[in-house]
Amino acid sequence: MTAQGFLLLLELVGVFAFALDGALTAMRSTHLDLFGVVALGIVTAVGGGIMRDVLLGELPPATFRTWYYLAIATGGALVAFWSHRLLARMARPIFVFDTVGLSLFAVTGAQLAVDAGADAGQAILLGGLTAVGGGTLRDVLVRKVPSILTGGLYAVPALLGAVVAVVGPLLGVSSGPAAFVGGVLCAALRTGGALRGWKAPRATLASPEDLD
């Protein structure tokens, strides 16, 4: 399998995971019909990738140039809709699917940006955008504060995973192992943040007494 084929496979796995995540989040956050659940699943799965492609000038975005992105996203959302009772018995299914999608999109988004001609810094930012963009759109549509704004480790693991995926090949590491290590790092930080309560630094507002 070529490097591009491997990245495509990882991205499609991420699409399926994020579609499950988006659909389950939609069903738990608000009462939606089948169309609404599928729509939220698709937005979560492909929203970040569409934003990445638009910024790179890759028009139309890959989602609309092929059939399989939307098909896999729709399939994932339908699986969540029809199997939500079974998935609800799993331990924190939304977190698991969200972590898988976040990790895969961070590394594939960054490496696809490099392949499209972006420099290292741009690719890292676009990898982070690919990872968090769809979930942010999902949260806005269900009237939740986006995960990237709540102080938990969400965007930071995605960016660090993208750093590894981009810098690895520059140091002579092949793209496959670099993507794997970056994805594992992202998932480990995201999981550690949830289990240990790690949070991104927050600004501390000065009290009126401190200003006197």
Side-chain angles (χ1 to χ4, degrees), residues 7-141:
L7 286 178
L8 176 60
L9 176 62
L10 289 181
E11 186 162 62
L12 293 178
V13 174
V15 166
F16 186 78
F18 258 171
L20 285 169
D21 166 49
L24 288 172
T25 300
M27 286 186 286
R28 290 190 177 184
S29 300
T30 187
H31 297 291
L32 297 177
D33 60 13
L34 174 61
F35 177 81
V37 170
V38 172
L40 262 293
I42 291 174
V43 166
T44 307
V46 302
I50 290 174
M51 287 189 279
R52 176 200 65 214
D53 289 348
V54 169
L55 291 174
L56 286 171
E58 297 286 327
L59 301 174
T63 298
F64 303 117
R65 293 199 304 267
T66 61
W67 61 269
Y68 38 79
Y69 283 95
L70 289 175
I72 290 175
T74 302
L78 289 173
V79 168
F81 183 83
W82 296 114
S83 305
H84 67 277
R85 295 185 186 277
L86 175 62
L87 293 173
R89 299 174 186 172
M90 298 171 57
R92 307 185 71 179
I94 290 180
F95 177 82
V96 172
F97 296 133
D98 189 62
T99 300
V100 171
L102 185 77
S103 303
L104 292 176
F105 274 6
V107 297
T108 60
Q111 290 190 341
L112 287 170
V114 170
D115 292 342
D119 63 28
Q122 294 168 342
I124 290 168
L125 291 176
L126 289 171
L129 176 64
T130 306
V132 306
T136 300
L137 291 174
R138 171 204 65 206
D139 291 344
V140 170
L141 289 173

